[in-house]
Structures are given as C-alpha cells and as structure tokens.
Amino acid sequence: MWEKAKGVLSMSDMLHIGVLASGRGSNFQSIIDNIESGQIQAVMSVLITDNPDAYAIERCRKHNIESLVLKPGDFHNSNSYYAHIADELIQREVGLVVLAGFMRVVGKALIDTFPNRIMNIHPALLPSFPGLHGQKQAADYGVKIAGCTVHFVDEGVDTGPIIMQAAVPAYHDDTEDSLAERILRKEHMIFPNAIRLFTENRIKVEGRKVIVNGTREEQSIINPLTTDK
Ligand code: GRF
C-alpha cells in the first residue's frame, strides 16, 4: 500500500538524511538547496566524510549542518569503520543515507543496517561504465548519449536497483571535463528528485525493480535535449 504524501510535516515527523561525501559536494549542495526551499521535506542531520579537506565540510558550516570526519585508517578494518558509521547514523535517527561523491565502496555493515535506504549518484547510464571515472569511460568509448543514475546501494560496485536516470548528448569532441559538466547539471536535478520521492514514500523496491508511484516522467529518465550545452 502506498502511504499518502503528507502536508507540511513537523521536524520530528520528517525523514532524517545522513550524507556521505568525500569532495566538493555539489550534489550535497543541491540536496541542501532543495530542503531549504521546501521541495524536499526532510532534515539534513549530518555529513560524514573520509576527507578532512572536503569542501563539503565548508558547506556544512554555511548551512549549520553537523559534519564528522571519520577516516578509515583510524579503524581496525573496513568492517569496524562502516559499523561505526552505521552507529553514528542510527544515533541521529537517520532514515536515508545519501552517497554524494563518496569515493569508497561502502561496506556490508552499513548496507545491512540500511537495506534499500542508501542512495548513490553515478555519473554514467548504468549498467554501462560503473566504477571510477564514468564520464571518461563514456567519452573514450564514443557513446552518443551519456548521463547519470541514482540507484540504491547493494554490495556490488554501482549494481543496485536503479531509481532514476537522466541522459545528455555526448559529442565526438567532448573531453572528460566537458561531458562531466553536462552530466553534473542533470545530477543536480535527479538526485534531489529521487530523494523527494523517497521522503514522500513513493518508492518501493521489488527485486531489481524500483517502482515509483508517480507520473510517467517521474518513473523514468529525463531525456536529452539537443539544445543541451
Ligand atoms: C559526481 O560526479 C557523482 O556522480 C560522483 O561523484 C561526483 C561528486 O561530485 N559519484 P560532487 O562532490 O557532488 O560535486
């Protein structure tokens, strides 16, 4: 049964989001902006980063969001690292974990704590070009359509159920950077959108398939526009 989307929620009724990010955090920013404008009714509870120099930390300062630096090297092993992250998130009553440029393969301890409650953004149209440098892989391959994917995280590398995709044109003279920039603009659209649908309880997972209770547009990709720069 789908639960009806509610009206304006109080802070305590809202979903708490925890973000994991390693770098500049432009996707993190797009989520913050959507929360602040009321498009997403959720609380941004905490940023956890593995990188003390991540610009995402500065974004937290600007928006009064807690940030935690947790470095894997300070833990016995990967399992204790991800178990600790899971504990920190549970303490803050996080209901959705968002990987926004977290440059690590997330461990089982975290995945098992948040089944189908961890979302990642990948800069390619999965299942093509998983792993690092998706944009470069696409540019080098010579595809004519590239894009990005929001998916739930499972134990594989970018293999979890696909929630939403957006496509952009790719040109023969694209560099990794020019293509990455075009894709990034779409990332900033579909990631907050997927999160909004989740907060509205309009997403369910059946096996590999993600079922979105929404319009045809919300259920599928955002198509390329030939006018896209
Ligand atoms: C994005 O390209 C995202 O798709 C990938 O890592 C990059 C993060 O960029 N997972 P930003 O830190 O959100 O600006």
Side-chain angles (χ1 to χ4, degrees):
M1 279 287 281
W2 300 107
E3 262 182 40
K4 274 206 150 175
K6 300 172 188 127
V8 177
L9 301 176
S10 71
M11 288 275 280
S12 55
D13 288 335
M14 284 187 199
L15 182 81
H16 288 219
I17 296 176
V19 169
L20 272 59
S22 304
R24 70 186 161 185
S26 71
N27 277 289
F28 177 41
Q29 185 69 52
S30 74
I31 300 161
I32 295 171
D33 292 345
N34 273 268
I35 290 177
E36 291 186 350
S37 70
Q39 289 292 112
I40 297 175
Q41 291 195 33
V43 178
M44 181 57 78
S45 291
V46 65
L47 166 82
I48 297 179
T49 180
D50 54 346
N51 173 13
D53 299 322
Y55 187 71
I57 298 172
E58 185 56 30
R59 298 184 196 274
C60 285
R61 286 196 197 104
K62 287 185 183 152
H63 293 270
N64 205 17
I65 296 165
E66 181 190 10
S67 62
L68 287 178
V69 178
L70 296 174
K71 294 192 275 183
D74 295 339
F75 292 80
H76 287 308
N77 51 39
S78 164
N79 194 52
S80 59
Y81 180 59
Y82 287 105
H84 185 86
I85 290 179
D87 281 349
E88 296 284 2
L89 294 167
I90 289 166
Q91 272 174 40
R92 290 162 182 81
E93 298 183 349
V94 164
L96 176 67
V97 182
V98 170
L99 309 185
F102 187 63
M103 302 310 285
R104 293 175 186 278
V105 178
V106 166
K108 191 168 159 38
L110 184 59
I111 295 167
D112 288 351
T113 312
F114 292 95
N116 289 332
R117 285 185 166 264
I118 307 177
M119 277 187 195
N120 181 46
I121 180 97
H122 181 73
L125 290 174
L126 293 171
S128 294
F129 313 128
L132 291 176
H133 309 298
Q135 309 97 323
K136 183 174 187 320
Q137 293 183 57
D140 290 350
Y141 198 90
V143 296
K144 298 299 184 193
I145 298 178
C148 47
T149 304
V150 181
H151 64 94
F152 285 115
V153 173
D154 63 12
E155 283 181 55
V157 176
D158 303 320
T159 52
I162 290 172
I163 304 166
M164 198 175 283
Q165 295 185 302
V168 300
Y171 303 111
H172 68 91
D173 53 356
D174 263 321
T175 61
E176 178 183 3
D177 285 351
S178 65
L179 188 56
E181 206 184 302
R182 197 175 305 123
I183 292 170
L184 191 67
R185 283 200 292 274
K186 289 284 193 278
E187 293 183 31
H188 296 163
M189 293 168 61
I190 63 169
F191 212 6
N193 247 316
I195 293 167
R196 177 181 55 80
L197 291 170
F198 187 92
T199 63
E200 292 171 354
N201 221 348
R202 290 163 65 197
I203 290 181
K204 65 182 175 191
V205 183
E206 286 181 2
R208 271 221 59 85
K209 294 202 179 174
V210 172
I211 299 163
V212 173
N213 182 18
T215 63
R216 277 306 201 197
E217 259 179 10
E218 285 172 320
Q219 286 169 22
S220 186
I221 67 166
I222 296 173
N223 285 309
L225 295 169
T226 45
T227 51
D228 246 1
K229 288 273 172 332

